[in-house]
């Protein structure tokens, strides 16, 4: 047995300053402590901390990462590399000679930081540049033309982002605004427009202050950025290609970003494109004319300025640009740089561009709510709701299937790939959500613990529910978010005044000082937002899903790590998605996904909504929340019921054995032989038994219905079997309707010569339990027969014919239309696709009928034009 190594490879670690803001104990930019296994090229541990982050926490993270690494088995590195001597000494004091510690550059951390910055600076996932009705393709095209010209001039090769320019555009009400050119570091390119030089200085102060000194920033920003083509959504690239808008290079796709004083990304309007076009065109002309003078970096005898009349733009705006007196970094007095160096302070650096993901909230610093404060009330609510504790997170084993869905083992796929925390925003949002829920549950007890809860449960469930606790079982992930964010109590928390708000909205109003900005954003985006039915379009297990709202048609990428591992394409979720910037999560989701077979009913419901409202919007869905919720709960009950097996007539399977007494076997045979429409009298009597005088004693007559003449794919159907033996006659059928029909037929043909005795019924469940699959010998015989090519081919052709005839059958789920008729409309085509997908998912490709059925379904797709 090989002894496992105790030491393995080299790790690097340190602290990364993140490019966003949080407000948990005052607005700040959190630090990310991280350790990377360089040998395996993967992150083994990371933690977010409120700055300043102590070196002890980084050393603690190293220790915990060795015991419980994010990727791979527990292990200890042979060597650790850090860039801080104090951190190196701290690690040496803890581990001694067990780990060799080096001090040196850590470019691996810089790579992780770069990935994080790029992730946060990605566009918000827009699908069109024409996001507002006021924006025209011509306006966007003119903006692209001006941006391409500016990119070719490349002003960032001439000046730094601390070289400022004043801009005036009177037509657009822009006076003494301030422009900063970004891109001198060779990374992000573009420019930022501030309202004034004071706003720029406030941003500089904001980025350099300690968290305790940071004020509420409140700086609106307007920027034009150039992104790589690979970072632009495919829908936008197609739109650019379709309109033939000019792009200077593969790295020069222009985008406009507009941020409010609260740090929120604002939608663009026609006026914004006019602003971006005018500034880009004027800057391109300005740097073409004055670039060499600006490149000198010396004080100029007179300010450099330019005035440009842009006649081809709406309103013929005049843009005036002036280089402000101080170009380059602030000049130090003689000897000042030496004094700073003596104090160990860094040289003055221009402020970097911030990705303003979240603005600090106004009010007092939030106060922590301890678990002890809320434990009793939360436990009460959880017990009352029947909430199950969250299952422990599953650590992926090396030999388990990789969660990326490749089909390979984890060790052969993603184990050795570097895993940067690209979902850091998702982590922050989920953590904010998880902090918020117990606080809201505690706050909900103010509305009357048991009484308020029972009122909510009564409203959540359909009327006449016999056992509410049973109906609610397993639906806590749906009920609790509805209870907190959608239910409106009759009275407020004081019990005196009308509520008219959800519990979450009351919480914001009452506990604003205790609520961080991200929590406020979550409540703002979630409270009152309707639930809907979402269809899974694409699923990446362990990462997320792409969903489409069946009613509104809107599509979103949803981050969902655990739920995505059990979903498949075509599944239907009753849920609510919530977007915070460009991260979308589910806040509330039904326990059971519905199969695609439920989609035609939802399409009919959508058609009814459109008939009444013309267009289905979230506001329209809000009017039907109770109906949609009850529809989903009823669908869940249908899924939990045992499936009802039916015969080819659509009748539930119920085996009937009907007993008669007859006067003569020959007489009964002569009267009933016509029920076998495909066998001659000679064929029926071939295996019959006779006595020594030649009289008929025993014979079996199959009751057969002839196939449809107009449908060559639909063969004859065996309805039952009649067995005559002496003076006894036994009839076997598999449904109640067929039993009544054969009894009428026997009465008509034999009259008093057949005396009814009794009927024995057997449910399919009893038949299956007593004889699951038939005797082993029979099953083995059937399997052996299917190995014969001719028999296998026969059954496959029979299955194929059955499915091909389905195209011309009237289907209840399609409103009584045939699939061939239904695909002539958009809704019908969508319904047929759902039914075919549902059928494909239920087929076993290893079964002889399943294999043939899957091939037939592909044929049907092509014939109906669904490919």
């Amino acid at each position: 047995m090989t002894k496992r190594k105790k030491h393995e490879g080299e790790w690097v670690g340190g602290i990364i300053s993140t490019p966003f803001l949080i407000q948990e104990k005052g607005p700040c930019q959190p630090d990310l402590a991280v350790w990377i296994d360089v040998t395996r090229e993967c992150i083994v541990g990371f933690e977010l901390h409120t700055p300043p982050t102590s070196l002890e926490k980084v050393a603690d993270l190293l220790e915990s990462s060795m015991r419980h690494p994010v990727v791979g088995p527990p292990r200890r590195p042979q060597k650790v590399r850090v860039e801080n001597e104090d951190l190196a000494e701290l690690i040496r004091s803890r581990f001694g000679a067990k780990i060799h510690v080096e001090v040196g550059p850590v470019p691996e951390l810089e790579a992780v930081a770069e990935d994080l910055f790029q992730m946060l600076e990605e566009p918000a996932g827009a699908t069109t540049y024409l996001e507002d009705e006021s924006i025209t393709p011509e306006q966007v095209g003119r903006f692209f033309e001006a941006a391409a010209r500016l990119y070719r001039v490349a002003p960032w090769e001439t000046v730094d982002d601390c070289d400022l320019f004043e801009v005036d555009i009177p037509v657009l009400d822009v006076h003494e605004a301030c422009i900063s050119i970004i891109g001198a570091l060779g990374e992000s390119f573009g420019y930022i427009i501030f309202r004034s030089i004071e706003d720029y200085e406030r941003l500089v102060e904001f980025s350099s202050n300690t968290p305790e000194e940071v004020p509420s920033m409140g700086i609106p920003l307007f920027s034009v950025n150039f992104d790589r083509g690979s970072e632009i959504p495919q829908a936008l690239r197609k739109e650019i290609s379709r309109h033939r808008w000019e792009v200077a290079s593969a790295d020069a796709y222009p985008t406009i970003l507009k941020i409010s004083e609260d740090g929120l990304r604002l939608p663009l309007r026609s006026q914004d494109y006019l602003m971006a076009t005018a500034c880009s065109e004027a800057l391109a002309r300005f740097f073409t004319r004055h670039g060499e003078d600006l490149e000198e970096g010396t004080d100029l005898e007179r300010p450099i300025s330019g005035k440009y009349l842009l006649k081809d733009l709406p309103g013929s705006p005049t843009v005036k640009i002036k280089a402000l007196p101080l170009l380059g970094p602030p000049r130090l007095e003689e000897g000042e740089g030496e004094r700073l160096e003596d104090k160990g302070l860094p040289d003055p650096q221009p402020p970097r561009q911030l990705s303003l993901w979240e603005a600090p909230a106004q009010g007092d610093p939030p106060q922590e709510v301890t678990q002890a404060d809320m434990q009793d009330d939360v436990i009460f609510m959880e017990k009352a709701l029947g909430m199950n504790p969250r299952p422990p997170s599953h650590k992926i084993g090396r030999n388990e299937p990789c969660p990326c869905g490749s089909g390979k083992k984890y060790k052969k796929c993603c184990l050795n790939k570097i895993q940067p925390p690209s979902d850091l925003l998702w982590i922050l949002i989920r953590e904010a959500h998880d902090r918020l829920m117990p606080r809201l549950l505690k706050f909900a007890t103010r509305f009357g613990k048991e009484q308020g809860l029972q009122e909510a449960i009564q409203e959540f469930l359909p009327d006449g529910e016999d056992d509410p606790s049973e109906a609610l079982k397993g639906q806590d992930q749906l009920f609790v978010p509805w209870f907190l964010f959608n239910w409106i109590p009759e009275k407020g928390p004081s019990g005196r005044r009308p509520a008219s708000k959800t519990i979450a909205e009351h919480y914001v109003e009452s506990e604003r000082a205790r609520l961080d900005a991200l929590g406020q954003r979550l409540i703002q985006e979630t409270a009152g937002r309707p639930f809907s039915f979402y269809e899974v379009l694409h699923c990446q297990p362990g990462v997320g899903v792409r969903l489409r709202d069946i009613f509104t048609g809107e599509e979103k990428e949803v981050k969902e790590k655990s739920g995505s591992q059990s979903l498949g394409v075509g599944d239907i979720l009753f849920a609510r998605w919530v977007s915070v910037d460009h991260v979308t999560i589910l806040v509330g989701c039904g326990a059971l996904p519905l199969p695609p077979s439920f989609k035609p009913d939802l399409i009919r419901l959508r058609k009814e909504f459109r008939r009444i409202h013309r267009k289905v919007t979230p506001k329209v869905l809000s009017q039907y929340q109770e109906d949609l919720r009850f529809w989903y709960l009823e669908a869940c009950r249908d899924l939990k019921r045992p499936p009802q097996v039916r015969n080819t007539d659509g009748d539930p399977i119920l085996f009937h054995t009907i007993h008669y007494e007859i006067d003569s076997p020959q007489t009964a045979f002569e009267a009933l032989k016509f029920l076998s429409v495909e066998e001659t009298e000679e064929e029926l009597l071939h295996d019959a038994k006779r006595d020594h005088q030649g009289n008929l004693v025993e014979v079996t007559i199959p009751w057969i219905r002839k196939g449809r003449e107009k449908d060559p794919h639909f063969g004859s159907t065996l309805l039952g079997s009649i067995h005559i033996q002496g003076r006894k006659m036994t009839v076997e059928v598999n449904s109640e309707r067929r039993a009544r029909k054969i009894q009428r037929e026997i009465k008509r043909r034999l009259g008093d010569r057949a005396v009814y005795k009794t009927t024995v019924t057997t449910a399919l469940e009893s038949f299956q339990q007593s004889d699951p699959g038939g005797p082993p010998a029979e099953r083995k015989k059937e399997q052996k027969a299917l190995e014969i090519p001719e028999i296998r081919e026969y059954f496959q052709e029979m299955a194929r014919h059955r499915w091909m005839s389905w195209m011309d059958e009237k289907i209840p789920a399609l409103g009584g239309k045939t699939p061939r008729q239904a695909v002539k409309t958009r809704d019908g085509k969508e319904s047929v696709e759902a039914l075919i997908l549902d059928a494909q998912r239920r087929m076993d490709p290893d079964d002889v009928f399943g294999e043939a059925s899957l091939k037939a379904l592909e044929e049907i797709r092509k014939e109906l034009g669904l490919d």
Side-chain angles (χ1 to χ4, degrees), residues 73 225 312 352 373 469 532 603 605-606 622 756 821 855:
N225 307 288
D312 65 326
R352 63 178 176 81
D373 293 335
S469 61
S532 187
I603 291 175
L605 191 58
R606 179 182 70 191
S622 297
Y756 170 76
Q821 294 169 334
K855 291 180 180 178

Side-chain angles (χ1 to χ4, degrees), residues 253-536:
Y253 285 74
T255 56
I256 304 172
L257 180 64
K258 187 179 179 183
I259 295 177
S260 71
E261 294 184 5
D262 299 322
L264 304 178
R265 191 186 300 257
L266 298 176
L268 299 179
R269 301 288 184 263
S270 174
Q271 197 79 344
D272 300 318
Y273 272 94
L274 178 57
M275 172 88 159
T277 304
C279 288
S280 299
E281 182 69 32
L283 284 171
R285 298 186 187 184
F286 180 80
F287 278 88
T288 300
R289 172 70 177 83
H290 302 292
E292 292 183 4
D293 295 332
L294 295 170
E295 198 170 13
E296 296 297 329
T298 59
D299 289 336
L300 301 171
E301 296 180 0
R302 58 183 179 81
I304 297 178
S305 63
K307 192 174 181 179
Y308 309 98
L309 176 62
L310 307 177
K311 294 182 179 180
D312 65 326
L313 296 183
S316 300
T318 297
V319 183
K320 183 179 179 181
I321 297 178
K322 180 174 69 174
L324 294 177
L326 287 179
L327 292 176
R331 183 170 299 175
L332 300 177
E333 297 297 330
E334 187 175 352
E336 189 174 349
E338 297 173 1
R339 291 195 299 272
L340 291 174
E341 188 176 351
D342 293 340
K343 294 179 181 179
L345 298 176
D347 291 336
Q349 294 293 328
R352 63 178 176 81
Q353 181 188 5
L354 295 178
S355 180
L356 298 175
W357 174 65
E358 182 180 336
Q362 303 287 343
D364 299 329
Q367 301 172 3
E368 278 298 320
V369 180
T370 64
Q371 190 64 28
D373 293 335
M374 64 176 75
Q375 185 174 8
D376 294 339
D377 288 330
V378 173
I379 289 176
F380 166 78
M381 297 297 289
E382 290 182 342
K383 286 183 177 179
L385 299 174
M387 291 172 62
N388 298 320
R390 186 174 298 180
S393 59
H394 171 63
K395 198 169 185 68
I396 304 169
R398 291 170 55 81
N399 291 312
E400 291 184 29
C402 187
C404 74
S406 64
K408 301 178 182 179
K409 291 184 178 180
Y410 183 47
K411 66 181 181 182
K412 296 289 188 180
C413 191
C414 291
L415 174 61
N416 295 321
K417 295 180 182 178
I418 191 161
Q419 302 287 333
S422 60
D423 55 354
L424 188 53
L425 268 181
W426 179 84
I427 293 173
L428 290 174
I429 293 172
R430 289 309 312 187
E431 286 181 349
H433 171 273
D434 294 344
R435 287 195 307 270
L436 185 62
M437 295 303 282
R439 295 179 182 182
L440 289 175
L441 285 172
K442 171 182 169 59
F443 183 78
T445 60
R446 299 188 188 182
F447 294 82
K449 279 191 177 180
E450 192 149 1
Q451 181 182 359
L453 182 60
Q454 292 306 317
E455 289 175 0
I457 292 175
Q458 193 173 13
E459 185 176 329
F460 180 80
L461 297 173
D463 293 335
E465 194 66 55
D466 296 331
D467 188 355
S469 61
E470 181 64 26
L472 203 61
K473 181 183 283 187
Q475 292 290 3
D476 49 282
Q477 295 298 321
L478 177 62
F479 174 77
V480 173
W482 174 87
F483 171 60
L484 298 174
F485 294 100
N486 294 78
W487 181 61
I488 299 179
E490 291 184 4
K491 296 181 180 179
S494 63
R496 296 178 184 175
R497 55 189 175 83
S500 70
K501 295 179 181 177
T502 65
I503 292 175
E505 289 170 321
H506 276 295
Y507 179 78
V508 173
E509 187 177 272
S510 175
E511 307 291 324
R512 187 179 298 273
R514 304 165 66 96
L515 187 61
D516 59 87
L518 185 52
Q520 289 189 42
R521 290 286 306 282
L522 275 171
I523 292 177
Q524 176 187 346
E525 297 294 338
T526 308
R529 186 174 182 86
F531 287 80
S532 187
F533 287 92
Y534 303 115
E535 178 186 14
V536 176

Side-chain angles (χ1 to χ4, degrees), residues 92-157:
R92 292 187 188 106
S93 65
R94 289 199 184 189
F95 298 96
K98 294 179 180 178
I99 300 177
H100 176 65
V101 184
E102 288 185 359
V103 178
V106 284
E108 296 85 356
L109 291 186
E110 296 174 5
V112 171
E114 183 179 355
D115 290 341
L116 182 60
F117 271 65
Q118 289 180 356
M119 181 267 295
L120 290 175
E121 291 176 354
E122 285 179 351
T127 57
T128 177
Y129 288 95
L130 310 174
E131 56 183 293
D132 184 76
E133 294 179 356
S134 64
I135 303 172
T136 66
E138 291 73 24
Q139 287 176 320
V140 180
R142 183 64 180 87
F143 162 66
F144 269 69
E145 179 184 332
R149 182 175 178 182
L150 177 63
Y151 186 85
R152 295 188 188 99
V153 174
W156 39 84
E157 295 180 0

